[in-house]
Amino acid sequence: MKPKVIVYKKVDPKILEFVQQTCEVVYFEELDSNTYPAFFQELVNADGILGSRLKVYADLLDKAPQLKIVSNMSVGYDNLDIAALTARGVMATNTPEVLNDTVADTIMGLILASARRIPELDQWVRAGQWKSELKEQWYGVDVHHKVLGIIGMGGVGTTVAKRAHCGFDMEILYHNRSRNMAAEEKYGATYCSMEELLKNSDFVCLLTPLTPETENLIGKREFGLMKKSAIFINASRGKTVDEEELIKALQTGEIAGAGLDVFVQEPINMDNPLLSMKNVVTLPHIGSATYETRFQMAMTAATNLVSGLKGDTPANLIK
Ligand SMILES: NC(=O)C1=CN([C@@H]2O[C@H](COP(=O)(O)OP(=O)(O)OC[C@H]3O[C@@H](n4cnc5c(N)ncnc54)[C@H](O)[C@@H]3O)[C@@H](O)[C@H]2O)C=CC1
Ligand SMILES: O=C(O)C(=O)CO
């Protein structure tokens, strides 16, 4: 008998066909108040689940006594309680590497958009404000030859460093749990303390996973250490930053601007002050959201799922 799996995110039909070769698939394009009851019903005898963002904690695992593998279709896995999964002998996998280039492109987009004020000026042109030669008040700041500080020099961080160093002649500072010799050798990145990085960077880019250690990693003290001209970029998770302190730092001119792909609450509340700040560029968590990369992520997640259910060790087993 084929193992039973639930795919709870919209994926390309080719992904479903691949999984169906070895598994019986129950498919939900998304989980919402309409589909949750059926999802929980199917969970009772599911061997595997594939999707993203679902909080897989002990309470959910209690409803899934047969579960053998949780295949997360993202590299970040702060939605999984790894200790609870391990205690029950359930494998968990993620999708690293395949998204590095796309996420790094998004981050360069945020850096350029905030430094050169692209969304703000787009609005200005469309509003019919471009009536004479551009005045100094609309100038931006250069990105090339500036200092980029990367906190969390892993797969995505290294790929951002490559673009920034090779394409924009930027000087790279980084802070990480351990030295990244490849980034140092290939992209001239310099390892430094968090404090040094914050004091000396023109752009501070946060790329750590969300863990108990990194929750609110950047707050009042850290914004206070940054240059007043600094632009803060966050594409990790909203909770790695104290969002209230970010808002204050932007309001008081402690920093010059921000480019944000992630927020404490997603989708963002329309009354979030960040949305009314001209010096903030906001994106709806689109880091990896291209057709090509989402397909690769889904195929990686499907391959992990099938491999785990066949009794092999999945390539991206979270340890
Ligand atoms: N906005 C988006 O759509 C996306 C967001 N992400 C986020 O970015 C995170 C990083 O992704 P990858 O680079 O693929 O992961 P990775 O695991 O390759 O790199 C993370 C790096 O952060 C470092 N790190 C962890 N804790 C740290 C700490 N306390 N201080 C300093 N460094 C620390 C690690 O040593 C590692 O080098 C993901 O966990 C996810 O939350 C990733 C992809 C897309
Ligand atoms: O992979 C992740 O962690 C994301 O946030 C979406 O790509």
Side-chain angles (χ1 to χ4, degrees):
M1 206 171 70
K2 285 179 172 179
K4 173 176 162 177
V5 301
I6 307 174
V7 175
Y8 59 89
K9 184 180 179 75
K10 189 167 194 286
V11 291
D12 189 284
K14 290 194 191 80
I15 305 293
L16 289 180
E17 282 162 28
F18 170 75
V19 181
Q20 277 160 345
Q21 286 168 19
T22 48
C23 305
E24 177 202 332
V25 178
V26 179
Y27 182 43
F28 297 98
E29 285 198 355
E30 64 179 321
L31 291 181
D32 56 25
S33 51
N34 292 323
T35 52
Y36 267 120
F39 170 78
F40 280 114
Q41 233 170 4
E42 300 291 352
L43 198 58
V44 176
N45 55 4
D47 297 288
I49 58 174
L50 184 159
S52 66
R53 298 199 183 196
L54 177 70
K55 289 191 167 84
V56 182
Y57 299 163
D59 56 343
L60 184 137
L61 293 173
D62 288 343
K63 299 185 175 78
Q66 275 190 212
L67 205 61
K68 295 169 189 68
I69 181 162
V70 174
S71 177
N72 219 31
M73 202 187 117
S74 63
V75 64
Y77 53 87
D78 44 281
N79 58 317
L80 308 182
D81 181 340
I82 298 298
L85 283 154
T86 309
R88 288 165 169 80
V90 179
M91 289 177 275
T93 61
N94 68 343
T95 61
E97 306 295 328
V98 288
L99 42 56
N100 287 349
D101 283 308
T102 298
V103 182
D105 288 349
T106 305
I107 291 167
M108 291 313 297
L110 278 174
I111 292 174
L112 288 165
S114 42
R116 300 299 304 274
R117 304 168 66 178
I118 290 173
E120 190 188 352
L121 286 167
D122 173 69
Q123 291 299 318
W124 185 76
V125 172
R126 288 166 196 269
Q129 300 292 320
W130 187 19
K131 293 185 178 132
S132 62
E133 202 184 332
L134 196 78
K135 298 203 169 52
E136 207 176 291
Q137 73 192 95
W138 295 106
Y139 290 180
V141 292
D142 277 335
V143 170
H144 61 84
H145 295 95
K146 293 285 180 68
V147 179
L148 171 64
I150 299 177
I151 304 168
M153 188 66 108
V156 176
T158 308
T159 315
V160 172
K162 177 183 180 184
R163 281 156 175 66
H165 175 73
C166 303
F168 292 84
D169 294 307
M170 295 180 91
E171 181 185 337
I172 315 290
L173 301 179
Y174 79 101
H175 182 71
N176 199 45
R177 278 185 310 193
S178 53
R179 294 275 292 268
N180 181 328
M181 296 320 289
E184 293 190 20
E185 280 153 26
K186 288 192 197 160
Y187 313 126
T190 304
Y191 182 82
C192 62
S193 68
M194 178 88 112
E195 200 164 305
E196 275 178 279
L197 182 149
L198 296 171
K199 280 184 183 164
N200 294 305
S201 299
D202 298 302
F203 298 87
V204 174
C205 180
L206 186 54
L207 275 169
T208 60
L210 173 63
T211 63
E213 200 191 7
T214 62
E215 188 162 350
N216 290 333
L217 187 67
I218 304 296
K220 186 177 168 57
R221 177 180 166 275
E222 289 69 30
F223 289 118
L225 288 169
M226 290 182 203
K227 294 182 182 182
K228 291 221 182 309
S229 57
I231 292 179
F232 174 69
I233 306 291
N234 189 13
S236 61
R237 288 290 183 265
K239 287 185 181 167
T240 51
V241 179
D242 184 332
E243 206 170 82
E244 305 232 319
E245 291 300 335
L246 170 62
I247 291 166
K248 278 189 211 156
L250 288 159
Q251 282 168 338
T252 58
E254 197 81 68
I255 61 169
L260 308 169
D261 188 40
V262 290
F263 302 87
V264 169
Q265 188 178 319
E266 296 180 5
I268 193 169
N269 257 334
M270 285 312 291
D271 60 5
N272 189 318
L274 291 168
L275 297 182
S276 52
M277 294 181 185
K278 291 209 160 90
N279 53 346
V280 176
V281 178
T282 57
L283 289 177
H285 200 146
I286 60 151
S288 63
T290 62
Y291 287 108
E292 298 91 333
T293 292
R294 285 290 164 90
F295 183 85
Q296 292 305 329
M297 289 164 71
M299 192 46 102
T300 303
T303 306
N304 284 330
L305 180 81
V306 167
S307 140
L309 289 172
K310 277 185 179 162
D312 299 332
T313 304
N316 306 116
L317 183 69
I318 299 165
K319 292 175 195 121

